[in-house]
Amino acid sequence: MSDANQTPRFRRTKRVAVVLAGLLILVVALLVLRWQLATQRIDQVATKAATLAATRKVAVSGDDARRAGAPARLGGASEAAGVAAMHMSSVDAYRERSADDRAALPHIRGAMDGAALARLQTLADAGNARAACILSAQATKCNFLPGVVRDSITQLSAGVALHHERGSIPSPEMLRALEHSRTSASALARECAGAPAMPPDAAWRYLLQSALLGYEPAMLLFSQWPPVDFGEPNTSVDAVIAYLRYSGSLTEALAQRGDLNAITSLTWEYGHHGPNVLQALGLRALPADPTRALMYAYVREGVMLRREAERPGSTAAYGQAHAAVERVLPAVDEAGRQWARQMADQMLATFTPDALRPSAPASEQAEEPTLWQQLEDICRE
């Protein structure tokens, strides 16, 4: 092939490469700008929580309150543990006013009118973390749960129709799930028919505000997964980035207070085990740290064994007490094992008797509450 034929081909290849490089640079720039915008919005929530904490009459100094609401940054395990100390300071401060905040709440069960919503917003804007949590539950109920339920009905109905086309019988579980979804859709339609409109980002914003104010049920809900409406791409991006920034330190704070769910979660997060879509995309709330995973595995084992000694079977839902230790142990050297054991023993010694006491058996209820009723009940704990 002659040089004359190669030159135009080389030029075309070069132009395509330049165009692709330009597009890649543009995409990266847009992603960076979008991340910065989300960061600014998240910082607004953190700043508001810090201001509310500083203006309330609390048992800690104003500097402690401001640090408690300081924005978290993505980082290593030690950083998450350090930020967790700020969250625990917020918890201590909030416990001083928790009973007053509960007494101030209006009783709302079912549909919410404009007056009730305005009352809750006034309370939340004054620093009532329980009110902010309930507002998050309300936004979750009426902003995107109806869409989730509709999608469930569509998928289950298609599955039932496919069985009928094939001449087979749908499973009882599928039919029960379809009926439950239809019942939920009817209930949501009733309770949200006259509900006041709320911003698309209200669910995650109010829940994060409540968590940063030191309300432990909100901390637990947000650390597990904030309310994300993927039908609102702009809002969902903010919620996911807020989760990445705060879930690790919130879980650390709960675990250091003896919350067995949080302790178990950290053995998985630091151990880099379990399916996680965000991890598949290279996004992690906490770094892989087998030694710290082993520390929490030892803590988990200690809490479970003490609860079991007091009431056998009370930790059955968590599996075997030794399972997490056996899973993580091979990845840690001898020095790491000694450190993990020592730190776990120290942490166990700091737990209050409540953390080591078995949870009370669930009470029998004539009718199981709906998901949104459970969320509101959690926010009123």
Side-chain angles (χ1 to χ4, degrees):
M1 185 177 294
S2 67
D3 292 341
N5 290 332
Q6 289 179 355
T7 300
R9 180 179 299 175
F10 173 77
R11 290 173 178 170
R12 286 195 299 271
T13 302
K14 183 178 180 180
R15 284 197 297 269
V16 170
V18 170
V19 171
L20 291 176
L23 289 174
L24 179 60
I25 292 172
L26 178 61
V27 169
V28 171
L30 290 174
L31 290 175
V32 170
L33 289 173
R34 184 62 187 85
W35 189 283
Q36 291 177 341
L37 178 60
T39 298
Q40 292 173 0
R41 292 171 175 168
I42 296 163
D43 285 347
Q44 290 173 358
V45 180
T47 300
K48 180 179 180 181
T51 301
L52 291 172
T55 55
R56 292 291 294 267
K57 293 180 180 180
V58 296
V60 297
S61 69
D63 288 340
D64 287 339
R66 280 186 287 274
R67 285 197 303 271
R73 301 294 176 190
L74 293 178
S78 60
E79 182 174 347
V83 177
M86 301 180 189
H87 295 316
M88 288 192 288
S89 175
S90 294
V91 169
D92 291 336
Y94 187 72
R95 286 179 176 178
E96 297 293 323
R97 58 181 186 267
S98 179
D100 290 341
D101 280 4
R102 180 194 285 123
L105 292 177
H107 180 74
I108 304 167
R109 192 74 168 185
M112 181 182 294
D113 58 21
L117 181 68
R119 174 61 177 158
L120 285 172
Q121 288 175 330
T122 298
L123 290 171
D125 289 341
N128 189 315
R130 295 173 186 270
C133 189
I134 293 174
L135 284 170
S136 173
Q138 170 67 14
T140 299
K141 177 173 74 172
C142 293
N143 276 24
F144 68 91
L145 271 185
V148 172
V149 173
R150 282 195 300 270
D151 290 343
S152 174
I153 292 173
T154 299
Q155 294 173 6
L156 290 168
S157 297
V160 170
L162 183 61
H163 275 285
H164 289 160
E165 289 175 6
R166 294 174 176 176
S168 58
I169 300 175
S171 68
E173 292 77 14
M174 178 180 287
L175 294 175
R176 280 196 297 269
L178 178 57
E179 180 60 27
H180 181 267
S181 294
R182 287 171 173 166
T183 301
S184 297
S186 298
L188 286 169
R190 287 194 307 272
E191 296 188 18
C192 296
M198 298 183 72
D201 62 352
W204 76 262
R205 276 180 169 268
Y206 278 120
L207 189 60
L208 180 58
Q209 176 181 321
S210 181
L212 294 180
L213 283 171
Y215 187 43
E216 290 167 275
M219 292 168 66
L220 180 61
L221 289 172
F222 195 91
S223 66
Q224 291 175 336
W225 186 248
V228 177
D229 180 6
F230 288 107
E232 293 280 349
N234 193 42
T235 299
S236 61
V237 168
D238 293 346
V240 170
I241 294 176
Y243 170 81
L244 290 171
R245 288 183 61 180
Y246 282 104
S247 64
S249 56
L250 289 171
T251 306
E252 274 274 4
L254 292 165
Q256 291 178 35
R257 286 298 177 92
D259 185 285
L260 187 53
N261 290 311
I263 292 167
T264 301
S265 177
L266 290 179
T267 66
W268 286 92
E269 288 293 324
Y270 283 128
H272 204 174
H273 291 280
N276 189 313
V277 175
L278 294 178
Q279 290 179 13
L281 297 175
L283 301 172
R284 292 183 57 84
L286 288 168
D289 188 337
T291 303
R292 199 164 183 82
L294 181 59
M295 179 193 76
Y296 276 114
Y298 283 137
V299 174
R300 175 180 180 272
E301 179 183 58
V303 173
M304 290 179 66
L305 290 178
R306 295 186 196 189
R307 290 187 180 186
E308 282 293 314
E310 186 169 335
R311 194 175 78 235
S314 59
T315 64
Y318 294 91
Q320 296 296 320
H322 306 285
V325 174
E326 293 173 353
R327 185 180 69 245
V328 180
L329 197 61
V332 183
D333 60 21
E334 185 58 34
R337 294 177 184 182
Q338 293 178 7
W339 179 89
R341 179 78 269 178
Q342 179 182 4
M343 296 301 294
D345 289 343
Q346 291 180 16
M347 187 175 292
L348 285 165
T350 67
F351 289 167
T352 64
D354 288 342
L356 302 174
R357 186 176 299 124
S359 302
S363 59
E364 295 292 333
Q365 295 187 357
E367 183 178 351
E368 184 179 355
T370 62
L371 172 61
W372 53 94
Q373 288 171 342
Q374 292 177 40
L375 287 175
E376 183 175 332
D377 289 343
I378 291 172
C379 291
R380 288 180 178 272
E381 284 184 2

